[in-house]
Amino acid sequence: MEKGRAFLVGAGPGDVQLITVKGLEAIKKAQVILYDRLANPKLLDYAPSDCELIYCGKLPDRHVLRQEMINNLLVSKVLEGKIVVRLKGGDPGVFGRVGEEAAALAENGLSFEIVPGITSGIAAPLYAGIPVTHREFGESFAVVTAHDKSENGQPKLDWKGLATGIDTIAFYMGISNLPYISENLIKHGKPADTPVILIQWGTFSRQQTLEGTLSNIAAKAKEVNFTNPAITLVGDIISLRKKLNWFEKKPLFGKQILLARTGTDESELARELMNQGADVIEFPKWKKVTVPVDQAVVNRISVYEQILFTSPESVREFFEIIFTEGIDIRKVKADFYGCSTKSVKALNEKGFFAELDGKMPLAGQLLIVGDSDFSQDYPHAEMFITSRKVIDEQFTPIFKRVLEEASVNTIVLPSSRAVKTIVEEGILKEIIPQQILKTSKVVCMGVRTAEAAIEYGVSPNEVLEVPNKTAVIDCLARKESELAFV
């Protein structure tokens, strides 16, 4: 049996782009991933389609898997000869219990690597506009756990040293112990008017902050029911936030978007929405299943007058098959069309002029490449199925957990196929709460998408004449600025 290996990987604080290159490489080759609640589940999209995903998340009131069980599971999977990634929020060495997991592997003579990550005690303040050190405000910085293993969970710390010897202090998961923390810092010499900021879900678009002082922050947090996960930052350096607050000024900050997904490739739209400050939940997660090449279609490829591609993936697969079969592309006489702007762009990148299917003539011999579902719209067409897409059911419980913790306020529907998918696979199967349709702004990319939405009982709030990512971003950013003046 091939020797297994474990990678104990820091997933970073939440923003999916803050994963390290080495951490992402480990995810891409993993056969098993044991992941925590605070590791952004979008990172699992990069795992191989046959990777086993195991949730080890912990909530304040319950444990899905206790630490001893996680250690044992980690060891057993490596003993099976698997490449195992233990994906932990933030940095695994900062209150991540990586020492216990690494010890379990070492005691069993198993090979492992520890991959550092960006810890939330540094990243969350930076995303709130606060560096944790500064020559004028703070030359010393401490990370401190706000809980310990005692019965009451109140850590026994060197309060005198923290209060008088450290300029800036980051307490991890300290909301429930705020009165205890504030009282002890004041008691041991920290001025009562020392600034404090609470940062919840740091680096996500749903990031929330609450500012106060040691004397009043506990009361303020109680009044608004502020909860973990959060960093409590204490120190005069917090005053820099007024000048340096950059993340919360992004055009789409605060937007929590549910984006209907119809392909297996990474979504350029999702990436750009995140770059503009939004949180994006893509539904569903698809995986490809290969199918045998239809030789009858390949042999007749020169007779078709129009070829309609259902997805960017189908474009790539079509040309791969044509090349593998030894067919000169010049034998293909058909005009090319795409079911989406992404499909048209994929054809353009291959050097072909193409248009959307709305401009395709109904007469002539038509070949549809890709998804067999489209044959219902074109009964006279022949099908060339290059691969089959199936929903990856491993992600169903992940979506449910993400939707429970998020507060979706925007739904983006890129195509009529996306409407069908989100309703039939999400709403009707009770993976997506129906209430989201009533409480969210629904943006349809194009008239045909809007028509499909209405047929399914979904009322669009916005219909984009130009169905591209620039129009989506402009629409969402514009509406947010208008609301600011209401």
Side-chain angles (χ1 to χ4, degrees):
M1 180 184 293
E2 188 177 344
K3 279 190 174 183
R5 189 175 185 82
F7 293 85
L8 310 174
V9 176
D15 183 339
V16 72
Q17 296 183 67
L18 294 181
I19 184 76
T20 63
V21 173
K22 189 168 186 177
L24 190 59
E25 287 175 350
I27 292 170
K28 287 180 177 179
K29 63 185 178 184
Q31 294 170 294
V32 180
I33 297 179
L34 287 75
Y35 65 100
D36 280 349
R37 173 195 175 209
L38 297 181
N40 192 328
K42 284 186 71 66
L43 291 170
L44 302 177
D45 284 352
Y46 295 98
S49 60
D50 58 350
C51 180
E52 181 183 4
L53 307 177
I54 302 173
Y55 184 54
C56 304
K58 299 174 184 178
L59 295 171
D61 58 342
R62 66 184 184 274
H63 293 267
V64 175
L65 287 179
R66 294 201 171 274
Q67 189 62 50
E68 296 76 12
M69 296 174 64
I70 295 172
N71 295 351
N72 293 337
L73 190 58
L74 190 58
V75 168
S76 66
K77 291 295 181 181
V78 176
L79 285 172
E80 290 174 14
K82 302 285 183 64
I83 296 176
V84 182
V85 168
R86 176 73 173 102
L87 195 60
K88 307 169 77 70
D91 181 280
V94 180
F95 309 127
R97 306 184 75 169
V98 73
E100 297 169 49
E101 295 173 357
L105 292 162
E107 288 164 7
N108 284 274
L110 300 174
S111 177
F112 65 90
E113 292 186 32
I114 301 175
V115 182
I118 299 175
T119 186
S120 58
I122 295 173
L126 281 173
Y127 270 54
I130 308 164
V132 294
T133 63
H134 189 282
R135 286 188 299 175
E136 294 181 19
F137 295 96
E139 296 183 344
S140 57
F141 168 64
V143 293
V144 182
T145 181
H147 283 270
D148 66 8
K149 297 168 68 175
S150 63
E151 188 174 335
N152 61 11
Q154 296 178 341
K156 294 179 174 58
L157 302 171
D158 179 7
W159 292 107
K160 182 70 173 176
L162 285 173
T164 60
I166 303 295
D167 296 315
T168 308
I169 313 167
F171 290 93
Y172 284 56
M173 298 296 187
I175 302 303
S176 63
N177 277 336
L178 268 179
Y180 175 76
I181 291 169
S182 300
E183 177 187 337
N184 275 281
L185 287 175
I186 295 171
K187 178 181 176 181
H188 290 88
K190 206 77 167 172
D193 61 354
T194 301
V196 181
I197 186 170
L198 311 181
I199 309 165
Q200 181 192 61
W201 290 112
T203 78
F204 283 93
S205 186
R206 60 182 181 268
Q207 173 176 299
Q208 296 286 331
T209 59
L210 181 65
E211 294 186 59
T213 64
L214 283 176
S215 63
N216 63 22
I217 192 64
K220 283 188 170 187
K222 184 178 180 180
E223 182 180 351
V224 298
N225 193 30
F226 207 92
T227 60
N228 285 318
I231 290 293
T232 300
L233 196 72
V234 180
D236 292 333
I237 204 166
I238 292 167
S239 62
L240 290 173
R241 171 173 162 79
K242 293 176 183 177
K243 289 183 180 179
L244 306 183
N245 184 12
W246 61 276
F247 179 56
E248 293 168 24
K249 294 179 181 178
K250 286 202 166 194
L252 301 186
F253 176 78
K255 294 290 184 184
Q256 296 185 57
I257 299 172
L258 177 61
L259 175 63
R261 185 173 185 166
T262 56
T264 56
D265 285 352
E266 183 179 3
S267 168
E268 292 183 13
L269 174 58
R271 177 171 286 274
E272 189 57 32
L273 289 170
M274 289 188 289
N275 286 341
Q276 297 299 322
D279 287 340
V280 180
I281 303 169
E282 296 178 75
F283 177 87
K285 175 70 165 66
W286 298 94
K287 63 180 179 180
K288 284 195 302 185
V289 179
T290 57
V291 298
V293 175
D294 188 337
Q295 290 294 336
V297 171
V298 172
N299 294 338
R300 285 168 42 81
I301 200 67
S302 61
V303 306
Y304 299 105
E305 295 169 86
Q306 296 103 28
I307 298 180
L308 173 62
F309 295 86
T310 65
S311 66
E313 297 95 325
S314 69
V315 173
R316 182 177 62 249
E317 292 161 358
F318 174 81
F319 286 100
E320 286 175 354
I321 291 170
I322 292 298
F323 181 80
T324 302
E325 294 294 320
I327 296 173
D328 191 325
I329 192 62
R330 288 171 292 186
K331 291 184 178 179
V332 181
K333 307 298 183 184
D335 293 325
F336 289 163
Y337 298 88
C339 288
S340 66
T341 54
K342 290 193 295 183
S343 302
V344 170
K345 182 181 177 183
L347 287 162
N348 294 157
E349 289 173 350
K350 293 286 186 182
F352 296 97
F353 179 79
E355 293 187 290
L356 286 169
D357 55 343
K359 296 186 178 181
M360 186 175 66
L362 297 178
Q365 288 193 283
L366 170 63
L367 178 68
I368 299 178
V369 179
D371 193 337
S372 60
D373 285 350
F374 282 81
S375 61
Q376 301 169 11
D377 301 326
Y378 302 95
H380 65 289
E382 292 184 50
M383 284 301 307
F384 186 31
I385 301 174
T386 52
S387 65
R388 292 191 185 276
K389 286 186 303 182
V390 297
I391 291 176
D392 192 336
E393 300 294 347
Q394 272 202 109
F395 282 77
T396 298
I398 296 173
F399 285 123
K400 288 183 176 180
R401 282 193 299 270
V402 170
L403 289 171
E404 284 175 3
E405 293 190 331
S407 297
V408 172
N409 51 36
T410 308
I411 299 173
V412 176
L413 302 172
S415 65
S416 55
R417 191 63 45 183
V419 176
K420 173 183 171 71
T421 298
I422 207 164
V423 173
E424 295 186 0
E425 301 295 338
I427 303 292
L428 297 182
K429 292 186 178 180
E430 298 184 344
I431 297 170
I432 299 172
Q434 192 164 10
Q435 184 66 19
I436 285 180
L437 293 175
K438 300 176 182 177
T439 57
S440 301
K441 181 185 295 296
V442 178
V443 179
C444 290
M445 296 177 66
V447 175
R448 291 187 63 181
T449 304
E451 291 171 349
I454 293 169
E455 287 179 12
Y456 274 97
V458 179
S459 300
N461 298 101
E462 299 284 346
V463 180
L464 305 182
E465 293 182 8
V466 182
N468 59 33
K469 62 185 179 183
T470 301
V472 174
I473 292 164
D474 288 347
C475 169
L476 297 180
R478 182 178 66 253
K479 291 302 175 184
E480 182 160 315
S481 63
E482 287 176 3
L483 288 173
F485 294 96
V486 172

